[in-house]
């Protein structure tokens, strides 16, 4: 299981962001406003809830299609961090498919998502693009 320290999360996020598909995701518009107004603790709670329902089961419903691209900062972050489905979780984070996520794995996924959101809100990534 990958190391969840802020430095190691930053290294992993930087590596994932070098992938062209992942690099195009940024918080913009309503998702950015939601992230800024909600604050870190509320977003962390939302991330835990969404991960528990949509990613943690051994065989998530509609796996590979269960995460919308817009509508909540956590959804955007999931695509940006490759925590959107079990295939991406296995490929990018070495967390195997076919079994329920452990408590530690759920916490790690939420840490990755929240760290990405934190970096987005702190940065000037309100720049438009794809």
């Amino acid at each position: 299981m990958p190391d969840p320290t802020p430095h190691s999360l930053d290294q992993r996020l930087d590596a994932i962001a070098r992938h062209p598909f992942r690099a195009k995701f940024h918080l913009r518009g309503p998702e950015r406003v939601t992230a800024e107004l909600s604050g870190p603790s509320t977003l962390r709670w939302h991330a835990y809830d969404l991960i528990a329902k949509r990613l943690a089961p051994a065989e998530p419903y509609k796996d590979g299609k269960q995460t919308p691209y817009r509508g909540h900062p956590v959804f955007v972050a999931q695509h940006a961090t490759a925590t959107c489905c079990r295939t991406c979780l296995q490929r990018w984070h070495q967390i195997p498919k076919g079994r329920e996520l452990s408590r530690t794995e759920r916490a790690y996924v939420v840490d990755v998502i929240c760290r990405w959101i934190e970096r987005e809100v702190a940065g000037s990534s309100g720049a438009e693009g794809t």
Side-chain angles (χ1 to χ4, degrees), residues 10-70:
D10 285 341
Q11 288 180 319
R12 181 163 298 269
L13 291 173
D14 291 343
I16 292 169
R18 287 192 285 274
H19 186 272
F21 176 73
R22 306 287 167 197
K24 69 181 181 179
F25 291 98
H26 293 286
L27 288 180
R28 296 184 181 94
E31 291 87 7
R32 185 172 187 88
V33 170
T34 298
E36 291 170 345
L37 294 178
S38 297
S41 59
T42 299
L43 288 174
R44 181 168 290 275
W45 185 88
H46 287 175
Y48 269 110
D49 187 50
L50 291 167
I51 294 310
K53 292 175 181 169
R54 295 172 175 257
L55 194 68
E59 295 181 19
Y61 177 69
K62 295 172 78 174
D63 193 28
K65 296 176 175 66
Q66 77 268 42
T67 305
Y69 285 92
R70 292 188 179 92

Side-chain angles (χ1 to χ4, degrees), residues 27-118:
L27 288 180
R28 296 184 181 94
E31 291 87 7
R32 185 172 187 88
V33 170
T34 298
E36 291 170 345
L37 294 178
S38 297
S41 59
T42 299
L43 288 174
R44 181 168 290 275
W45 185 88
H46 287 175
Y48 269 110
D49 187 50
L50 291 167
I51 294 310
K53 292 175 181 169
R54 295 172 175 257
L55 194 68
E59 295 181 19
Y61 177 69
K62 295 172 78 174
D63 193 28
K65 296 176 175 66
Q66 77 268 42
T67 305
Y69 285 92
R70 292 188 179 92
H72 196 286
V74 170
F75 295 150
V76 178
Q78 282 185 267
H79 289 291
T81 62
T83 57
C84 46
C85 68
R86 294 303 293 269
T87 298
C88 291
L89 206 55
Q90 180 170 292
R91 181 180 303 141
W92 291 91
H93 300 276
Q94 296 75 49
I95 297 175
K97 295 165 67 167
R99 63 166 176 74
E100 187 172 342
L101 294 181
S102 70
R103 183 175 301 215
T104 303
E105 290 165 338
R106 289 179 197 207
Y108 166 77
V109 170
V110 170
D111 286 345
V112 168
I113 290 167
C114 290
R115 182 66 181 158
W116 184 86
I117 293 171
E118 177 184 321

